[in-house]
Coordinates of all heavy atoms in Angstrom, one line a residue:
M1 N -4.7 -18.3 7.9 CA -5.2 -17.2 7.1 C -4.1 -16.2 6.8 O -3.3 -15.9 7.6 CB -6.3 -16.5 7.9 CG -6.8 -15.2 7.2 SD -8.1 -14.4 8.2 CE -9.5 -15.4 7.7
S2 N -4.1 -15.7 5.6 CA -3.1 -14.7 5.1 C -3.3 -13.4 5.8 O -4.4 -13.0 6.2 CB -3.3 -14.5 3.6 OG -2.9 -13.3 3.2
I3 N -2.2 -12.7 6.1 CA -2.3 -11.4 6.7 C -3.1 -10.4 5.9 O -3.8 -9.6 6.4 CB -0.9 -10.9 7.1 CG1 -1.0 -9.6 7.9 CG2 -0.1 -10.5 5.8 CD1 0.2 -9.2 8.7
C4 N -3.0 -10.6 4.6 CA -3.7 -9.7 3.7 C -5.2 -10.0 3.8 O -6.0 -9.0 3.7 CB -3.3 -9.8 2.2 SG -1.6 -9.1 2.0
R5 N -5.6 -11.2 3.9 CA -7.1 -11.5 4.0 C -7.6 -11.1 5.4 O -8.8 -10.7 5.5 CB -7.3 -13.0 3.9 CG -7.2 -13.5 2.4 CD -7.7 -14.9 2.3 NE -7.4 -15.4 1.0 CZ -7.3 -16.6 0.7 NH1 -7.5 -17.6 1.6 NH2 -7.1 -17.0 -0.5
A6 N -6.8 -11.0 6.4 CA -7.2 -10.6 7.7 C -7.4 -9.1 7.9 O -7.9 -8.7 8.8 CB -6.2 -11.2 8.7
S7 N -6.9 -8.4 6.9 CA -7.0 -6.9 7.0 C -7.8 -6.4 5.9 O -8.2 -7.1 4.9 CB -5.6 -6.3 6.9 OG -5.1 -6.3 5.6
L8 N -8.1 -5.1 5.9 CA -8.9 -4.5 4.8 C -8.0 -4.1 3.7 O -8.5 -3.8 2.6 CB -9.6 -3.3 5.4 CG -10.8 -3.6 6.3 CD1 -11.3 -2.3 6.9 CD2 -11.9 -4.3 5.6
G9 N -6.8 -4.1 3.8 CA -5.8 -3.7 2.8 C -4.6 -3.1 3.4 O -4.6 -2.0 3.9
P10 N -3.5 -3.9 3.4 CA -2.2 -3.4 4.0 C -1.7 -2.2 3.3 O -1.8 -2.0 2.1 CB -1.3 -4.6 3.8 CG -2.1 -5.8 3.5 CD -3.4 -5.3 2.9
S11 N -1.0 -1.4 4.0 CA -0.3 -0.2 3.5 C 1.2 -0.5 3.9 O 1.5 -0.9 5.0 CB -0.8 1.0 4.2 OG -0.1 2.1 3.8
S12 N 2.1 -0.2 2.9 CA 3.5 -0.5 3.1 C 4.2 0.8 2.8 O 3.8 1.5 1.9 CB 3.9 -1.7 2.3 OG 5.3 -1.9 2.4
G13 N 5.4 1.0 3.4 CA 6.2 2.1 3.0 C 7.3 2.4 4.1 O 7.2 1.9 5.2
G14 N 8.3 3.1 3.7 CA 9.4 3.5 4.5 C 9.0 4.7 5.4 O 8.1 5.5 5.1
E15 N 9.8 4.9 6.4 CA 9.7 6.0 7.3 C 10.3 7.3 6.7 O 11.2 7.2 5.9 CB 10.4 5.7 8.6 CG 9.8 4.6 9.4 CD 10.7 4.2 10.6 OE1 11.8 4.7 10.8 OE2 10.1 3.5 11.5
S16 N 9.8 8.4 7.1 CA 10.4 9.7 6.7 C 10.8 10.5 7.9 O 10.3 10.3 9.0 CB 9.5 10.5 5.8 OG 8.3 10.8 6.5
G17 N 11.8 11.4 7.7 CA 12.2 12.2 8.8 C 13.7 12.0 9.1 O 14.3 11.1 8.5
P18 N 14.3 12.8 9.9 CA 15.7 12.8 10.1 C 16.3 11.4 10.6 O 17.4 11.1 10.4 CB 16.0 13.9 11.1 CG 14.7 14.4 11.6 CD 13.6 13.8 10.7
R19 N 15.4 10.6 11.3 CA 15.9 9.4 11.9 C 15.2 8.2 11.2 O 15.1 7.1 11.8 CB 15.7 9.3 13.4 CG 16.5 10.3 14.1 CD 16.4 10.1 15.6 NE 17.2 11.1 16.2 CZ 16.9 11.7 17.3 NH1 15.8 11.5 17.9 NH2 17.8 12.6 17.9
A20 N 14.8 8.4 9.9 CA 14.1 7.3 9.2 C 15.0 6.1 9.0 O 16.2 6.2 8.7 CB 13.7 7.8 7.8
R21 N 14.4 4.9 9.3 CA 15.2 3.7 9.1 C 14.9 3.2 7.6 O 13.8 3.5 7.1 CB 14.7 2.6 10.0 CG 15.0 3.0 11.5 CD 14.3 2.0 12.4 NE 12.9 2.2 12.4 CZ 12.0 1.6 13.2 NH1 12.4 0.6 13.9 NH2 10.7 1.8 13.1
P22 N 15.9 2.5 7.0 CA 15.7 2.1 5.6 C 14.6 1.1 5.5 O 14.3 0.3 6.4 CB 17.0 1.5 5.2 CG 17.8 1.3 6.5 CD 17.1 2.2 7.6
S23 N 13.9 1.1 4.3 CA 12.9 0.1 4.0 C 13.5 -0.9 3.0 O 14.2 -0.6 2.1 CB 11.7 0.9 3.3 OG 10.7 0.0 3.1
D24 N 13.2 -2.1 3.2 CA 13.7 -3.2 2.4 C 12.7 -3.5 1.3 O 11.5 -3.8 1.5 CB 13.9 -4.5 3.3 CG 14.6 -5.6 2.6 OD1 14.2 -5.9 1.5 OD2 15.5 -6.1 3.2
E25 N 13.2 -3.5 0.0 CA 12.3 -3.8 -1.1 C 11.6 -5.1 -1.0 O 10.5 -5.2 -1.4 CB 13.1 -3.7 -2.4 CG 13.6 -2.3 -2.8 CD 14.3 -2.3 -4.1 OE1 13.9 -3.1 -5.1 OE2 15.3 -1.6 -4.2
S26 N 12.3 -6.1 -0.5 CA 11.7 -7.5 -0.5 C 10.5 -7.5 0.5 O 9.6 -8.3 0.2 CB 12.8 -8.5 0.0 OG 13.2 -8.3 1.3
W27 N 10.5 -6.7 1.5 CA 9.3 -6.6 2.4 C 8.1 -6.1 1.6 O 7.0 -6.7 1.7 CB 9.6 -5.7 3.6 CG 10.7 -6.1 4.5 CD1 11.3 -7.3 4.5 CD2 11.4 -5.2 5.3 NE1 12.4 -7.3 5.4 CE2 12.5 -6.0 6.0 CE3 11.3 -3.9 5.7 CZ2 13.3 -5.4 6.9 CZ3 12.2 -3.4 6.6 CH2 13.1 -4.1 7.2
A28 N 8.3 -5.0 0.9 CA 7.2 -4.4 0.2 C 6.7 -5.4 -0.9 O 5.5 -5.6 -1.1 CB 7.6 -3.1 -0.4
R29 N 7.6 -6.0 -1.6 CA 7.3 -6.9 -2.7 C 6.5 -8.1 -2.1 O 5.5 -8.6 -2.7 CB 8.5 -7.4 -3.4 CG 9.0 -6.4 -4.4 CD 10.1 -7.1 -5.2 NE 10.7 -6.1 -6.1 CZ 11.9 -5.6 -6.0 NH1 12.7 -6.0 -5.1 NH2 12.3 -4.6 -6.9
Q30 N 6.9 -8.7 -1.0 CA 6.3 -9.8 -0.4 C 4.9 -9.5 0.0 O 3.9 -10.3 -0.3 CB 7.1 -10.3 0.8 CG 6.5 -11.6 1.4 CD 7.4 -12.1 2.5 OE1 8.3 -11.4 3.0 NE2 7.1 -13.3 2.9
I31 N 4.7 -8.4 0.6 CA 3.3 -8.0 1.0 C 2.4 -7.8 -0.2 O 1.3 -8.2 -0.3 CB 3.3 -6.7 1.9 CG1 4.0 -7.0 3.2 CG2 1.9 -6.2 2.1 CD1 4.3 -5.8 4.0
R32 N 3.0 -7.1 -1.2 CA 2.2 -6.8 -2.5 C 1.8 -8.1 -3.1 O 0.7 -8.4 -3.6 CB 3.1 -6.0 -3.4 CG 2.4 -5.8 -4.8 CD 3.3 -5.6 -5.9 NE 4.3 -6.6 -6.0 CZ 5.5 -6.5 -6.7 NH1 5.8 -5.3 -7.2 NH2 6.3 -7.5 -6.7
D33 N 2.8 -9.1 -3.2 CA 2.5 -10.4 -3.9 C 1.4 -11.2 -3.2 O 0.6 -11.8 -3.8 CB 3.8 -11.2 -4.0 CG 4.8 -10.5 -5.0 OD1 4.5 -9.6 -5.7 OD2 6.0 -11.0 -4.9
I34 N 1.5 -11.2 -1.8 CA 0.4 -11.9 -1.1 C -0.9 -11.2 -1.3 O -1.9 -11.9 -1.5 CB 0.8 -11.9 0.4 CG1 2.0 -12.7 0.7 CG2 -0.4 -12.4 1.3 CD1 2.6 -12.6 2.1
C35 N -1.0 -9.9 -1.3 CA -2.2 -9.2 -1.6 C -2.8 -9.5 -2.9 O -4.0 -9.8 -3.1 CB -2.0 -7.7 -1.4 SG -1.8 -7.2 0.3
E36 N -1.9 -9.5 -3.9 CA -2.3 -9.8 -5.3 C -2.9 -11.3 -5.4 O -3.9 -11.5 -5.9 CB -1.2 -9.7 -6.3 CG -0.9 -8.2 -6.6 CD 0.0 -8.1 -7.9 OE1 1.0 -8.8 -7.9 OE2 -0.4 -7.3 -8.7
R37 N -2.2 -12.2 -4.7 CA -2.6 -13.6 -4.7 C -4.0 -13.7 -4.1 O -4.8 -14.5 -4.5 CB -1.6 -14.4 -3.9 CG -1.9 -15.9 -3.8 CD -1.1 -16.6 -2.8 NE -1.6 -16.2 -1.4 CZ -0.8 -16.3 -0.4 NH1 0.4 -16.8 -0.4 NH2 -1.3 -16.0 0.8
D38 N -4.2 -13.0 -3.0 CA -5.5 -13.1 -2.2 C -6.6 -12.1 -2.7 O -7.6 -12.1 -2.1 CB -5.2 -12.9 -0.7 CG -4.3 -14.0 -0.2 OD1 -4.1 -15.1 -0.9 OD2 -3.8 -13.9 1.0
G39 N -6.3 -11.3 -3.7 CA -7.3 -10.4 -4.2 C -7.6 -9.3 -3.2 O -8.8 -8.8 -3.1
V40 N -6.6 -8.8 -2.5 CA -6.8 -7.7 -1.5 C -6.1 -6.5 -1.9 O -5.0 -6.5 -2.5 CB -6.2 -8.2 -0.1 CG1 -6.3 -7.1 0.9 CG2 -7.0 -9.4 0.3
A41 N -6.7 -5.3 -1.7 CA -6.1 -4.0 -2.0 C -4.7 -3.8 -1.3 O -4.5 -4.2 -0.2 CB -7.0 -2.9 -1.6
F42 N -3.8 -3.2 -2.1 CA -2.4 -3.0 -1.5 C -2.1 -1.5 -1.8 O -2.2 -1.1 -2.9 CB -1.4 -3.9 -2.1 CG 0.0 -3.6 -1.8 CD1 0.5 -3.8 -0.5 CD2 0.9 -3.0 -2.7 CE1 1.8 -3.4 -0.2 CE2 2.2 -2.7 -2.4 CZ 2.7 -2.9 -1.1
F43 N -1.6 -0.8 -0.8 CA -1.2 0.6 -1.0 C 0.3 0.7 -0.6 O 0.7 0.4 0.6 CB -2.0 1.5 -0.1 CG -1.7 3.0 -0.2 CD1 -2.2 3.7 -1.3 CD2 -0.9 3.6 0.7 CE1 -1.9 5.0 -1.4 CE2 -0.5 4.9 0.6 CZ -1.1 5.6 -0.5
F44 N 1.1 1.2 -1.5 CA 2.5 1.5 -1.2 C 2.7 3.0 -1.1 O 2.5 3.7 -2.1 CB 3.5 0.9 -2.3 CG 4.9 1.2 -2.0 CD1 5.5 0.4 -0.9 CD2 5.6 2.1 -2.6 CE1 6.9 0.7 -0.6 CE2 7.0 2.3 -2.3 CZ 7.6 1.6 -1.3
K45 N 3.0 3.4 0.1 CA 3.0 4.9 0.4 C 4.3 5.6 -0.1 O 4.2 6.5 -0.8 CB 2.9 5.1 1.9 CG 2.8 6.6 2.2 CD 2.5 6.8 3.7 CE 2.4 8.3 3.9 NZ 2.1 8.6 5.3
Q46 N 5.5 5.1 0.3 CA 6.7 5.7 -0.1 C 7.9 4.8 0.3 O 7.8 3.9 1.1 CB 6.8 7.0 0.7 CG 7.0 6.8 2.2 CD 7.0 8.1 3.0 OE1 6.7 9.2 2.5 NE2 7.4 8.0 4.2
W47 N 9.1 5.2 -0.3 CA 10.3 4.5 0.1 C 10.8 5.1 1.4 O 11.5 4.4 2.2 CB 11.3 4.5 -1.0 CG 11.0 3.6 -2.1 CD1 10.6 3.8 -3.3 CD2 11.0 2.1 -1.9 NE1 10.4 2.7 -4.0 CE2 10.6 1.6 -3.2 CE3 11.3 1.3 -0.9 CZ2 10.5 0.2 -3.4 CZ3 11.2 -0.1 -1.1 CH2 10.8 -0.6 -2.3
G48 N 10.6 6.4 1.6 CA 11.0 7.0 2.8 C 12.4 7.7 2.6 O 13.0 7.6 1.6
G49 N 12.8 8.4 3.7 CA 14.1 9.1 3.6 C 14.0 10.3 4.5 O 13.1 10.5 5.3
A50 N 14.9 11.2 4.3 CA 15.0 12.4 5.1 C 13.7 13.3 5.0 O 13.3 13.9 5.9 CB 16.2 13.3 4.7
R51 N 13.1 13.3 3.8 CA 11.9 14.0 3.6 C 10.8 13.0 3.0 O 11.2 12.0 2.4 CB 12.1 15.2 2.6 CG 12.9 16.3 3.1 CD 13.2 17.4 2.1 NE 13.8 16.9 0.9 CZ 15.1 16.5 0.8 NH1 15.9 16.6 1.8 NH2 15.6 16.1 -0.4
P52 N 9.5 13.3 3.2 CA 8.5 12.3 2.8 C 8.6 11.8 1.3 O 8.4 10.7 1.0 CB 7.2 13.0 3.1 CG 7.5 13.9 4.2 CD 8.9 14.4 4.0
K53 N 9.0 12.7 0.5 CA 9.1 12.3 -1.0 C 10.5 12.0 -1.4 O 10.7 11.9 -2.6 CB 8.5 13.5 -1.8 CG 7.1 13.7 -1.5 CD 6.5 14.8 -2.4 CE 5.0 14.9 -2.1 NZ 4.3 15.8 -2.9
S54 N 11.4 11.8 -0.5 CA 12.8 11.5 -0.8 C 13.0 10.3 -1.8 O 13.7 10.4 -2.8 CB 13.6 11.2 0.4 OG 13.7 12.3 1.3
G55 N 12.3 9.2 -1.5 CA 12.6 8.0 -2.3 C 11.5 7.7 -3.4 O 11.6 6.7 -4.1
G56 N 10.5 8.5 -3.4 CA 9.5 8.3 -4.4 C 8.5 7.2 -3.9 O 8.5 6.7 -2.8
R57 N 7.5 6.9 -4.9 CA 6.4 5.9 -4.5 C 6.4 4.7 -5.4 O 5.5 3.9 -5.3 CB 5.1 6.7 -4.7 CG 4.9 7.8 -3.7 CD 3.4 8.2 -3.6 NE 2.6 7.0 -3.2 CZ 1.5 6.6 -3.9 NH1 1.1 7.3 -5.0 NH2 0.9 5.6 -3.5
L58 N 7.3 4.6 -6.3 CA 7.2 3.5 -7.3 C 7.8 2.2 -6.7 O 8.9 2.2 -6.1 CB 8.0 3.8 -8.6 CG 7.5 5.0 -9.4 CD1 8.3 5.2 -10.6 CD2 6.0 4.9 -9.7
L59 N 7.1 1.1 -6.8 CA 7.6 -0.2 -6.5 C 7.6 -1.0 -7.8 O 6.5 -1.2 -8.4 CB 6.6 -0.9 -5.4 CG 6.9 -2.3 -5.1 CD1 8.3 -2.5 -4.5 CD2 5.8 -2.8 -4.1
D60 N 8.7 -1.4 -8.2 CA 8.9 -2.1 -9.5 C 8.3 -1.3 -10.7 O 7.6 -1.9 -11.5 CB 8.3 -3.5 -9.4 CG 9.0 -4.4 -8.5 OD1 10.2 -4.2 -8.3 OD2 8.4 -5.4 -7.9
G61 N 8.5 0.0 -10.6 CA 8.1 0.9 -11.7 C 6.6 1.2 -11.7 O 6.1 1.8 -12.7
E62 N 5.9 0.9 -10.7 CA 4.4 1.2 -10.6 C 4.0 1.8 -9.3 O 4.6 1.5 -8.3 CB 3.7 -0.2 -10.7 CG 2.7 -0.3 -11.9 CD 2.1 -1.7 -11.8 OE1 2.7 -2.7 -12.1 OE2 0.9 -1.7 -11.4
E63 N 3.0 2.7 -9.4 CA 2.4 3.1 -8.1 C 1.3 2.2 -7.7 O 0.5 1.7 -8.6 CB 1.7 4.5 -8.3 CG 2.7 5.7 -8.3 CD 2.0 7.0 -8.2 OE1 0.7 7.1 -8.1 OE2 2.7 8.0 -8.4
W64 N 1.3 1.8 -6.4 CA 0.3 0.9 -5.9 C -0.7 1.7 -5.0 O -0.3 2.1 -3.9 CB 1.0 -0.2 -5.2 CG 1.8 -1.0 -6.1 CD1 3.1 -0.8 -6.5 CD2 1.4 -2.2 -6.8 NE1 3.5 -1.7 -7.4 CE2 2.5 -2.6 -7.6 CE3 0.2 -2.9 -6.9 CZ2 2.4 -3.7 -8.4 CZ3 0.1 -4.0 -7.7 CH2 1.2 -4.4 -8.5
N65 N -1.9 2.0 -5.5 CA -2.8 2.8 -4.8 C -4.1 2.1 -4.4 O -5.2 2.7 -4.4 CB -3.2 4.0 -5.7 CG -2.0 4.9 -6.0 OD1 -1.2 5.2 -5.1 ND2 -1.8 5.2 -7.2
G66 N -4.0 0.8 -4.1 CA -5.1 0.0 -3.7 C -5.9 0.6 -2.5 O -5.3 1.2 -1.6
F67 N -7.2 0.5 -2.5 CA -8.0 1.0 -1.5 C -9.1 0.0 -1.2 O -9.7 -0.5 -2.1 CB -8.7 2.3 -1.9 CG -9.4 3.0 -0.8 CD1 -8.8 3.8 0.1 CD2 -10.8 2.9 -0.7 CE1 -9.5 4.4 1.2 CE2 -11.5 3.5 0.3 CZ -10.8 4.2 1.3
P68 N -9.4 -0.3 0.1 CA -10.4 -1.3 0.4 C -11.8 -0.7 0.3 O -12.4 -0.2 1.2 CB -10.1 -1.6 1.9 CG -9.5 -0.4 2.4 CD -8.7 0.2 1.3
W69 N -12.4 -0.7 -0.9 CA -13.7 -0.1 -1.2 C -14.8 -0.6 -0.4 O -15.8 0.0 -0.2 CB -14.0 -0.2 -2.7 CG -13.1 0.7 -3.5 CD1 -12.0 0.2 -4.2 CD2 -13.1 2.1 -3.6 NE1 -11.3 1.3 -4.7 CE2 -12.0 2.5 -4.4 CE3 -13.9 3.1 -3.0 CZ2 -11.7 3.8 -4.7 CZ3 -13.6 4.4 -3.3 CH2 -12.5 4.7 -4.2
Q70 N -14.7 -1.8 0.2 CA -15.8 -2.4 1.0 C -16.0 -1.6 2.3 O -17.1 -1.8 2.9 CB -15.5 -3.9 1.3 CG -14.4 -4.2 2.2 CD -13.0 -4.4 1.5 OE1 -12.8 -3.9 0.4 NE2 -12.2 -5.2 2.1
I71 N -15.1 -0.7 2.7 CA -15.4 0.0 3.9 C -16.1 1.4 3.6 O -16.4 2.1 4.5 CB -14.1 0.3 4.7 CG1 -13.1 1.2 3.9 CG2 -13.5 -1.0 5.1 CD1 -12.0 1.7 4.7
V72 N -16.2 1.7 2.3 CA -16.8 3.0 1.9 C -18.4 2.8 2.0 O -18.9 1.9 1.4 CB -16.4 3.4 0.5 CG1 -17.0 4.7 0.1 CG2 -14.9 3.6 0.5
P73 N -19.1 3.7 2.6 CA -20.5 3.6 2.7 C -21.2 3.7 1.3 O -20.7 4.4 0.4 CB -21.0 4.8 3.5 CG -19.7 5.2 4.3 CD -18.6 4.8 3.5
K74 N -22.2 2.9 1.1 CA -22.9 2.8 -0.2 C -23.3 4.2 -0.8 O -23.1 4.4 -2.0 CB -24.1 1.9 -0.1 CG -24.7 1.7 -1.5 CD -25.8 0.6 -1.4 CE -26.5 0.4 -2.7 NZ -26.2 1.2 -3.9
P75 N -23.8 5.2 0.0 CA -24.2 6.5 -0.6 C -22.9 7.2 -1.3 O -23.1 7.8 -2.3 CB -24.7 7.3 0.5 CG -25.2 6.3 1.5 CD -24.3 5.1 1.4
I76 N -21.8 7.0 -0.7 CA -20.6 7.6 -1.2 C -20.2 6.9 -2.5 O -19.8 7.5 -3.5 CB -19.5 7.7 -0.2 CG1 -19.8 8.6 0.9 CG2 -18.1 8.1 -0.8 CD1 -18.9 8.6 2.1
L77 N -20.2 5.6 -2.5 CA -19.9 4.8 -3.7 C -20.8 5.2 -4.8 O -20.4 5.3 -6.0 CB -20.0 3.3 -3.4 CG -18.8 2.7 -2.6 CD1 -19.1 1.2 -2.3 CD2 -17.5 2.8 -3.4
D78 N -22.1 5.3 -4.5 CA -23.1 5.7 -5.6 C -22.7 7.0 -6.2 O -22.8 7.2 -7.4 CB -24.5 5.7 -5.0 CG -25.0 4.3 -4.6 OD1 -24.4 3.3 -5.1 OD2 -26.0 4.3 -3.9
Q79 N -22.3 8.0 -5.4 CA -21.9 9.3 -5.9 C -20.6 9.2 -6.8 O -20.5 9.9 -7.8 CB -21.6 10.3 -4.7 CG -22.8 10.7 -4.0 CD -22.5 11.7 -2.9 OE1 -21.4 12.1 -2.7 NE2 -23.6 12.0 -2.1
I80 N -19.7 8.4 -6.4 CA -18.5 8.2 -7.2 C -18.7 7.6 -8.5 O -18.2 8.0 -9.5 CB -17.4 7.3 -6.4 CG1 -17.0 8.1 -5.1 CG2 -16.3 6.9 -7.3 CD1 -16.1 7.2 -4.2
S81 N -19.6 6.6 -8.6 CA -19.9 6.0 -9.8 C -20.9 6.7 -10.7 O -21.2 6.3 -11.8 CB -20.4 4.5 -9.6 OG -21.0 4.3 -8.4
A82 N -21.6 7.7 -10.2 CA -22.6 8.5 -11.0 C -21.9 9.3 -12.1 O -20.8 9.7 -12.1 CB -23.4 9.3 -10.1

């Protein structure tokens, strides 16, 4: 079973703060590609760096804001779609 199918929707991103470790682009791309293949939401938070917004949020020129809507209670979904 794919890791993306086993979760509600992976979140990927680099660490922020003075001791942040670098994030590898290939890791984020691989997780995104598996999620796309399996039809699962993918959220890319940030590249990371000294401050939370240091590296931005774009992965291959796009923001990835996937959200696992299946965990949202029906009354809230009904309000959103109204």
Side-chain angles (χ1 to χ4, degrees):
M1 173 181 280
S2 155
I3 190 162
C4 289
R5 283 190 190 158
S7 74
L8 289 174
S11 177
S12 176
E15 298 175 347
S16 60
R19 294 188 179 141
R21 296 172 289 180
S23 183
D24 187 312
E25 287 183 43
S26 67
W27 301 339
R29 284 190 182 110
Q30 185 177 12
I31 294 169
R32 179 209 51 204
D33 293 348
I34 292 169
C35 288
E36 283 194 313
R37 179 195 73 200
D38 294 347
V40 175
F42 171 71
F43 182 81
F44 182 72
K45 184 174 181 177
Q46 65 183 13
W47 284 111
R51 290 175 306 284
K53 295 185 181 185
S54 294
R57 294 197 57 232
L58 300 180
L59 173 60
D60 293 333
E62 239 181 283
E63 278 191 10
W64 296 86
N65 298 312
F67 187 82
W69 291 104
Q70 68 269 30
I71 67 169
V72 178
K74 186 171 179 354
I76 293 174
L77 283 176
D78 291 345
Q79 288 178 6
I80 292 171
S81 30

